Amino acid sequence: MSFRVPVLLSSSSVFPEPTAAAFEMAATLGYDGVEVMVWTDAVSQDAGALRGLASHYGVPVLSVHAPCLLVTQRVWSSDPWERLRRAAVLAETLGAPTVVVHPPFTWQRDYARSFGAGLARLAAKHPDVSIAVENMYPVRMAGREFVPYVPGWDPTDTGYDAYTLDLSHCAASRTDPLVMADTMGAQLAHVHLGDGTGEGRDEHLVPGRGNQPCGELLASLAGRGFTGSVAVEVATRKASSRAVREADLRESLAYAREHLATGPRSARAGSHA
């Protein structure tokens, strides 16, 4: 029996609506589960509340995004290791197999110095949870470019036991996601599905609305032996209504399922950005 890749709805995709709305929309639209972005919404931090929502709506939490954004630097603790530890505990408590984490910021010197070894220690304490480091991107401002991550935005340059591949971030870094997936190899554990135009910023467009090879990447997963999940992570904050937001999320789910179902085909047939 072939593995069916679960398609999750990231709770960040319903922002500015709260975490609870992600469970409601995931159930309404037919997603396989939810990725919880842990942020300032208290519900996103609470295992009991999340378990209750998963039970009520019949959609499990299958991924937890650790609080590593600039706006979540004091969620749970100001210590990044404590935040990541608690994300792993939350995932383990909820039965979610994946924790997504970003590379350290440049100012997190102590955290960065011990990042690889610390991930290994945490993974040993939580063997049922894959802590997947996400590819990021350089930041471009006023005609200048800088990298706010150390040792860099591309985790494959360092090498980790598990990765999250974010297609919108590939667009922002002007990186071919198919090449990055090749580099990640068997350590590719999770995918963030969103599109981009390659304009050098993080757009998280509905897949198919940018110029990234989103469909080709999804279709290639079966041939890669991928056994993780795909989380739809698109920006709907400008949606004028709940109906418009749901339409974008319905379209994203249909796109994911359509291309996952095509399976491997002659990779790189045709051109892609």
Side-chain angles (χ1 to χ4, degrees):
M1 183 177 177
S2 62
F3 173 74
R4 179 179 181 271
V5 175
V7 182
L8 318 182
L9 177 60
S10 169
S11 61
S12 67
S13 295
V14 308
F15 183 82
E17 294 196 58
T19 303
F23 286 85
E24 180 186 354
M25 282 187 256
T28 299
L29 300 175
Y31 278 81
D32 298 307
V34 167
E35 173 171 308
V36 172
M37 170 71 79
V38 180
W39 65 300
T40 54
D41 180 354
V43 169
S44 73
Q45 307 168 28
D46 187 318
L50 293 169
R51 190 186 288 113
L53 286 166
S55 175
H56 178 73
Y57 288 107
V59 283
V61 177
L62 295 179
S63 177
V64 170
H65 196 310
C68 8
L69 303 176
L70 284 173
V71 295
T72 59
Q73 291 299 292
R74 296 196 176 275
V75 168
W76 282 336
S77 170
S78 59
D79 177 4
W81 280 122
E82 177 63 9
R83 294 198 300 272
L84 185 52
R85 184 195 71 80
R86 290 186 64 167
V89 170
L90 180 62
E92 189 174 63
T93 302
L94 296 170
T98 306
V99 168
V100 178
V101 64
H102 294 177
F105 285 117
T106 51
W107 60 84
Q108 296 174 315
R109 293 183 181 85
D110 292 341
Y111 179 51
R113 196 174 297 119
S114 60
F115 189 60
L119 287 181
R121 285 194 299 270
L122 199 58
K125 291 180 180 177
H126 304 279
D128 295 329
V129 175
S130 177
I131 303 172
V133 185
E134 184 173 8
N135 62 298
M136 300 306 291
Y137 52 93
V139 174
R140 298 176 178 88
M141 294 178 65
R144 301 183 65 183
E145 178 178 296
F146 68 97
V147 178
Y149 305 100
V150 63
W153 58 265
D154 182 353
T156 66
D157 288 343
T158 301
Y160 298 103
D161 291 339
Y163 299 107
T164 295
L165 174 61
D166 187 302
L167 285 108
S168 177
H169 294 176
C170 285
S173 64
R174 296 169 181 156
T175 302
D176 184 336
L178 291 160
V179 172
M180 180 162 279
D182 290 345
T183 305
M184 290 178 171
Q187 282 68 51
L188 174 58
H190 190 58
V191 172
H192 277 168
L193 178 60
D195 213 335
T197 62
E199 290 184 355
R201 56 192 174 89
D202 191 18
E203 297 168 284
H204 288 284
L205 303 176
V206 169
R209 297 186 188 176
N211 58 16
Q212 298 304 293
C214 298
E216 193 174 351
L217 186 280
L218 293 173
S220 77
L221 292 177
R224 297 177 187 277
F226 181 76
T227 57
S229 53
V230 171
V232 167
E233 195 179 66
V234 297
T236 67
R237 61 186 176 275
K238 294 182 179 178
S240 57
S241 66
R242 164 68 74 91
V244 172
R245 176 168 291 117
E246 286 192 352
D248 282 351
L249 300 178
R250 184 179 292 107
E251 180 180 333
S252 299
L253 175 60
Y255 184 101
R257 291 229 172 104
E258 175 191 351
H259 290 281
L260 286 168
T262 63
R265 38 187 181 188
S266 62
R268 308 181 189 279
S271 61
H272 57 75

